[in-house]
Amino acid sequence: MSAGAAVVVAMAVILSISFIGGGSRGGGEIFLQTAAAAGRDPFTPSAATDTRSAAAPSGPSASRIGSRTVAVSGAHPGLYGGTKNVASCDVEKQITYLTENESKGSAFAGALRIPQAEVPAYLRSLTPVRLVWDTRVTNHGYRDGRATAYQAVLQAGTAVLVDGRGVPRVRCACGNPLAPAVAVQGEQKYKGEKWTAFRSSTIVAVVPAPKPMKAVTMFDPESKAWFERPNGDIQGRSDHPIPPPKGQQPNAAFPVLPDPSTDSADEFPEGDDRDTQDDRTDEEEEHGDEEQKKKDEKHKDDEQKKDDEQKKEDEQKKEEDEKRKEHEEQEEQKKKDEEQKKKDEKQKEQEEQKKKDEKDEKQKDQPVAPDPDQPPSPVEPEKPVEPQQDEKQPVEPEPQRPQPPKTEEPAEPQPPEQPQEQPQEQPQEQPQEPAPDQPQQKLRNP
């Protein structure tokens, strides 16, 4: 093994112990994730703009991988592909989501060991590509407010963002942070839906390039052409074609990976890399795959059914909450209207009472004009005579009032003149009061 290959192996060993996100060996479980699937505990909605799956390379190029996962430098041409001038990921969409959701943005930054404020700049420094090979990575899901690490194999064709040393850092279909793969010990168990071209013997694990790269060398599987995309070109507008790199055949169906004996690749340092199903015959493997597929589909249907039921319950609950809220608002408004109505009625009564009091006060201050159509009240002529209470109270001893003239007894010699004048004048001047004076005159005349 050359010195360069030894460096790559050493880097892989280091990554198996310490890597961004702080994951674990996962007990030998490796989760399979197809190109379009969101996978476990996604961080964001899908931002992938190109989710076409791609067949894993086969034939002589694939046979170079051998029976174990191969660690390949991120600078090796042929790891990544895509379509010229077409970005496979909407980076700005991911930035917007992670900025608006602070808890996820914080967990995302923690998994990549960068400050949360630098997340937008960091994402814009990455380059959107598609995997050409089924690739081992350390994936991170979002659960209970934090990032959880697990080992995964991403299907060829998966859209990812790679850094300046060619290492996948973000998966576009779910926004999950990525890190170099971590070796697992003992028997490996692959979990999840297997795709048709999946083979445990055709998996690569990317390790950082020895030095930063200015551009990513990419392969277009459809046109069989090569081009370079500058680092940080998140829209793919600066792509430019190049001739096939050294070691690659013109018009080849798939790129060629380096031999494990070269400086660019070596076997990934981990335990038995065989799936528990890899020792079966093709017929048994095909039958087992069908059984597994049926189980996965059934599980998927059950999960979908549960999700639909939960969604239905949530919608029903939401509808009930809205109805209850609407009813409460109507009752509250009705109560307010009744209170306002009572208040208005009370105010109206107060105003009417006030007007009535003002009117009564005004009528009290002004004399009442007599009604011409009604005869005068019998009480009206008595008003001037009001002080004479003797007419209203007919007391019998009142005829004795003329007795004071008894003090005028010295004038008795004139009585002969009175009987002649009084009988003639009294009937004319005072016809109603002759009685009190006449008895005295009659007594005096004899």
Side-chain angles (χ1 to χ4, degrees):
M1 181 184 296
S2 64
V7 171
V8 174
V9 172
M11 292 173 64
V13 172
I14 293 172
L15 289 169
S16 70
I17 301 173
S18 175
F19 65 96
I20 294 177
S24 63
R25 298 179 182 271
E29 294 181 347
I30 301 175
F31 294 87
L32 305 178
Q33 295 182 334
T34 59
R40 298 174 58 189
D41 306 323
F43 262 78
T44 72
S46 176
T49 57
D50 188 357
T51 56
R52 294 172 295 173
S53 60
S58 58
S61 60
S63 64
R64 289 191 175 191
I65 297 180
S67 61
R68 288 176 176 266
T69 299
V70 176
V72 182
S73 170
H76 181 77
L79 279 179
Y80 306 117
T83 305
K84 184 174 175 290
N85 299 126
V86 176
S88 58
C89 187
D90 188 345
V91 176
E92 296 299 330
K93 182 178 180 180
Q94 285 185 321
I95 292 173
T96 300
Y97 187 87
L98 292 172
T99 302
E100 292 177 350
N101 295 268
E102 294 185 0
S103 59
K104 288 189 174 181
S106 176
F108 182 90
L112 295 173
R113 292 188 177 181
I114 60 174
Q116 185 174 358
E118 295 182 8
V119 168
Y122 179 79
L123 289 174
R124 293 189 180 103
S125 71
L126 305 179
T127 307
V129 299
R130 294 177 64 199
L131 300 176
V132 173
W133 303 82
D134 294 344
T135 305
R136 271 281 306 275
V137 296
T138 297
N139 204 339
H140 295 81
Y142 179 80
R143 181 182 296 177
D144 300 329
R146 61 188 183 89
T148 57
Y150 59 93
Q151 296 304 296
V153 174
L154 305 182
Q155 183 186 14
T158 299
V160 297
L161 299 175
V162 298
D163 63 11
R165 292 180 182 265
V167 178
R169 291 303 186 187
V170 180
R171 185 167 181 258
C172 301
C174 56
N176 289 3
L178 303 176
V182 172
V184 297
Q185 298 298 324
E187 186 180 49
Q188 297 179 6
K189 295 181 181 180
Y190 292 101
K191 290 192 173 184
E193 180 182 356
K194 289 184 178 180
W195 44 93
T196 305
F198 174 79
R199 294 292 183 273
S200 61
S201 60
T202 58
I203 299 174
V204 300
V206 182
V207 294
K211 60 181 181 180
M213 305 179 302
K214 294 182 179 179
V216 181
T217 302
M218 302 174 64
F219 177 76
D220 188 342
E222 294 183 359
S223 64
K224 310 296 187 292
W226 292 82
F227 63 93
E228 283 187 340
R229 176 170 293 172
N231 286 339
D233 183 6
I234 60 175
Q235 295 181 345
R237 294 179 178 177
S238 301
D239 296 348
H240 55 277
I242 60 171
K246 184 180 178 179
Q248 302 292 339
Q249 298 296 325
N251 299 321
F254 293 101
V256 177
L257 286 178
D259 289 327
S261 59
T262 66
D263 294 347
S264 300
D266 210 327
E267 293 181 355
F268 192 68
E270 60 187 357
D272 186 3
D273 194 33
R274 294 182 301 166
D275 188 357
T276 54
Q277 299 175 352
D278 286 346
D279 294 332
R280 299 173 300 172
T281 63
D282 293 342
E283 184 178 354
E284 290 175 347
E285 183 176 355
E286 183 177 356
H287 179 71
D289 290 344
E290 290 294 330
E291 292 293 329
Q292 183 64 33
K293 188 175 181 180
K294 289 180 181 179
K295 290 181 180 179
D296 293 340
E297 288 179 354
K298 185 176 183 302
H299 177 72
K300 188 176 180 180
D301 292 340
D302 293 340
E303 291 294 328
Q304 184 65 36
K305 187 177 180 181
K306 290 181 180 179
D307 292 341
D308 292 341
E309 291 178 353
Q310 184 64 36
K311 186 177 180 181
K312 187 176 180 180
E313 290 179 2
D314 293 341
E315 290 178 353
Q316 186 176 1
K317 184 178 179 181
K318 183 179 179 181
E319 186 177 354
E320 291 176 355
D321 292 341
E322 290 178 354
K323 288 183 178 179
R324 186 179 70 254
K325 185 177 180 181
E326 184 179 358
H327 178 70
E328 290 176 354
E329 290 177 353
Q330 290 178 352
E331 290 295 325
E332 185 69 20
Q333 186 63 36
K334 185 178 179 181
K335 185 177 179 181
K336 289 182 179 179
D337 293 341
E338 290 178 355
E339 291 179 354
Q340 185 64 33
K341 185 177 179 181
K342 291 180 180 179
K343 186 177 179 181
D344 293 341
E345 290 177 352
K346 185 176 180 180
Q347 185 176 0
K348 186 176 180 181
E349 291 178 358
Q350 291 178 351
E351 291 177 355
E352 291 178 352
Q353 184 64 34
K354 185 177 179 181
K355 289 181 180 180
K356 185 178 179 181
D357 294 342
E358 290 177 353
K359 185 176 180 182
D360 294 343
E361 187 69 23
K362 189 174 180 181
Q363 291 178 351
K364 183 178 179 181
D365 295 340
Q366 293 180 357
V368 181
D371 190 353
D373 297 334
Q374 290 184 354
S377 175
V379 186
E380 290 181 359
E382 297 179 358
K383 284 183 181 179
V385 208
E386 213 168 82
Q388 298 179 0
Q389 298 179 357
D390 52 351
E391 294 180 1
K392 295 182 180 180
Q393 298 177 359
V395 183
E396 295 183 4
E398 190 160 350
Q400 298 176 0
R401 285 183 183 177
Q403 293 177 3
K406 292 179 180 180
T407 55
E408 298 178 1
E409 291 179 359
E412 285 182 0
Q414 299 175 358
E417 295 177 358
Q418 292 178 356
Q420 293 177 359
E421 294 175 358
Q422 289 178 357
Q424 295 176 357
E425 294 176 357
Q426 287 178 355
Q428 296 178 355
E429 295 178 359
Q430 297 179 353
Q432 297 178 356
E433 299 179 0
D437 295 337
Q438 285 178 3
Q440 294 176 4
Q441 292 174 0
K442 288 180 180 180
L443 293 172
R444 291 175 184 177
N445 287 335

